[in-house]
């Protein structure tokens, strides 16, 4: 039996046509699509397979779509992967909700409702489009934090929010502050700074207010203790078993940094035979490979099972 850790990608991994081969091959995947369409009242197959990139990129649509694809791949692993033992799971940003679902914290239907609401609140958080994000390549994370802290002291607002790998950190805040930070970070030695095509300053303090509303929404659901360890973005530690504490971390995740490099080290300590990325794209495979070059990291495929 192969001992594995499953990792689930977040927003930005979506693409038109994702999962079509699985939809065509497995009737139970088509069943998940039909169930999802019924739950959120959108023809998911039509949107994901025939829609536009702009429509799918919208946070409101991207979050349930990526959750659905990850859940479909997870279902295939459960049904076809006879020799797989899951040691733990983790997800990057939105992907944490796929990880929580995989551990039985909430049902598939409730997971869809939760990520749909999360996407709605995040897209409404910045109606004037003042917030943004940028990926900083090739600069020490401590130096990036120092630059952002100094700018914040001067009245700007920008902070590091996704510690993706040792050479990639994402910053978030007001667009004008990010533009100022880009200049300073390049002067400090960053190889590249790429402004991201997102609709807000995600994982920053600007998400605190929608996070409070999100918490109230979460409290209406049946939340169960994780059946396997779920390593949290917020503190790189396994989620607790208590419902109130689980919701507390889910709320904080919306406005706190994603500690992905720390999560990667936590995964390493479990000594898995392999890490499998369960979702569209290969973003996490690339990030983890930079931090753990010696670990076997695989993208999901039916042939693996």
């Amino acid at each position: 039996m192969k001992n594995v850790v499953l990792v689930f990608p977040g927003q930005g991994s979506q693409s038109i046509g994702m999962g079509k081969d699985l939809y065509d091959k497995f009737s139970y995947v088509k069943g998940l699509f039909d169930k999802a369409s019924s739950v959120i009242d959108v023809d998911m197959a039509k949107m994901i397979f025939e829609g536009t990139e702009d429509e799918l990129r919208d946070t409101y649509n991207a979050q349930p779509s990526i959750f659905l694809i990850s859940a479909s791949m997870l279902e295939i692993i459960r049904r076809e992967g006879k020799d797989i033992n899951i040691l733990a799971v983790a997800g990057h940003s939105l992907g944490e909700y796929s990880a929580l679902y995989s551990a039985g914290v909430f049902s598939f239907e409730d997971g869809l409702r939760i990520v749909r609401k999360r996407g709605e609140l995040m897209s409404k958080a910045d109606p004037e489009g003042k917030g943004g994000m940028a990926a900083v390549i090739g600069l020490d994370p401590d130096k990036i934090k120092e630059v952002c802290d100094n700018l914040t002291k001067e009245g700007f607002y920008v902070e590091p929010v996704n510690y993706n790998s040792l050479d990639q950190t994402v910053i978030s805040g007001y667009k004008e502050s990010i533009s100022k930070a880009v200049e300073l970070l390049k002067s400090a030695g960053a190889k590249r700074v790429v402004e991201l095509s997102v609709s807000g300053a995600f994982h920053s303090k600007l998400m605190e207010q929608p996070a409070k509303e999100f918490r109230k929404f979460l409290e209406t659901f049946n939340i169960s203790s994780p059946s396997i360890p779920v390593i949290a973005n917020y503190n790189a530690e396994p989620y607790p078993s208590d419902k109130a504490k689980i919701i507390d971390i889910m709320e904080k995740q919306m406005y706190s940094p994603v500690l992905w490099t720390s999560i990667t080290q936590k995964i390493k300590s479990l000594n898995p035979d392999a890490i499998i990325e369960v979702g569209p794209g290969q973003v996490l495979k690339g990030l983890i490979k930079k931090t753990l070059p010696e670990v076997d990291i695989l993208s999901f495929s039916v042939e693996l099972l």
Side-chain angles (χ1 to χ4, degrees):
M1 178 175 284
K2 183 173 275 192
N3 293 314
V4 304
V5 173
L6 305 182
V7 293
F8 299 87
Q11 223 169 302
S13 58
Q14 73 278 352
S15 63
I16 294 297
M18 61 182 180
K20 181 70 165 64
D21 54 337
L22 307 178
Y23 179 90
D24 291 340
K25 184 169 184 173
F26 299 102
S27 60
Y28 54 82
V29 169
K30 185 177 185 300
L32 285 177
F33 270 74
D34 291 344
K35 194 179 286 186
S37 299
S38 174
V39 168
I40 63 173
D41 199 24
V42 172
D43 187 334
M44 297 297 283
K46 185 174 182 182
M47 181 172 70
I48 293 172
F49 303 149
E50 303 170 25
T52 66
E53 291 286 356
D54 283 346
E55 180 186 23
L56 193 59
R57 192 184 300 118
D58 187 308
T59 305
Y60 186 58
N61 295 322
Q63 298 208 21
S65 298
I66 295 166
F67 178 85
L68 171 58
I69 298 300
S70 291
S72 298
M73 291 179 177
L74 176 69
E75 191 65 22
I76 294 168
I77 289 172
R78 285 173 171 169
R79 293 185 184 229
E80 318 294 334
K82 307 302 181 194
D83 294 324
I84 288 179
N85 175 49
I86 302 170
L87 297 173
V89 294
H92 191 288
S93 191
L94 165 70
E96 186 156 290
Y97 290 83
S98 301
L100 289 163
Y101 162 65
S102 76
V105 173
F106 40 71
S107 68
F108 173 71
E109 293 88 343
D110 285 350
L112 280 163
R113 294 182 182 104
I114 286 168
V115 298
R116 182 72 153 175
K117 185 67 171 181
R118 183 176 183 270
E120 176 192 331
L121 291 170
M122 287 170 71
S123 44
K124 284 182 177 176
D126 184 17
E128 296 175 8
K130 291 181 178 178
M133 302 175 80
V136 185
I137 316 295
L139 189 62
D140 183 82
D142 290 339
K143 183 64 181 174
I144 294 168
K145 188 172 190 315
E146 182 187 321
V147 169
C148 292
D149 287 349
N150 287 339
L151 278 171
T152 299
K153 287 174 188 171
E154 293 173 19
F156 293 92
Y157 176 65
V158 59
E159 62 176 316
V161 294
N162 293 354
Y163 292 91
N164 287 338
S165 69
L166 296 177
D167 73 342
Q168 187 196 111
T169 303
V170 174
I171 58 174
S172 185
Y174 288 121
K175 286 178 181 175
E176 59 186 42
S177 301
I178 288 173
S179 297
K180 184 71 176 172
V182 167
E183 298 170 27
L184 295 174
L185 290 165
K186 284 180 177 175
S187 299
K191 290 178 184 173
R192 281 192 303 146
V193 184
V194 183
E195 295 196 38
L196 304 179
S197 177
V198 294
S199 56
F202 303 147
H203 290 289
S204 76
K205 299 294 186 294
L206 300 177
M207 291 289 142
E208 279 193 30
Q209 195 54 47
K212 289 177 183 175
E213 191 174 337
F214 186 48
R215 184 191 183 100
K216 291 176 187 173
F217 183 74
L218 288 171
E219 286 169 349
T220 67
F221 289 92
N222 180 28
I223 300 291
S224 303
S225 300
S227 58
I228 49 177
V230 181
I231 306 168
N233 286 189
Y234 169 66
N235 58 6
E237 295 293 336
Y239 261 82
S241 57
D242 177 74
K243 176 179 176 176
K245 290 178 180 175
I246 290 171
I247 290 175
D248 190 46
I249 292 176
M250 291 165 78
E251 175 192 0
K252 287 175 178 172
Q253 195 244 31
M254 192 182 278
Y255 61 83
S256 300
V258 174
L259 304 179
W260 192 253
T261 48
S262 299
I263 289 169
T264 304
Q265 292 300 330
K266 179 70 77 172
I267 291 171
K268 181 184 178 182
S269 73
L270 298 173
N271 197 29
D273 295 319
I275 300 169
I276 304 175
E277 182 167 5
V278 184
Q282 299 185 20
V283 172
L284 298 184
K285 181 180 178 180
L287 293 178
I288 295 170
K289 202 71 183 170
K290 289 176 181 175
T291 309
L292 303 179
E294 73 283 5
V295 177
D296 196 12
I297 304 152
L298 309 167
S299 298
F300 172 88
S301 73
V302 178
E303 290 71 30
L304 283 177
L305 307 176

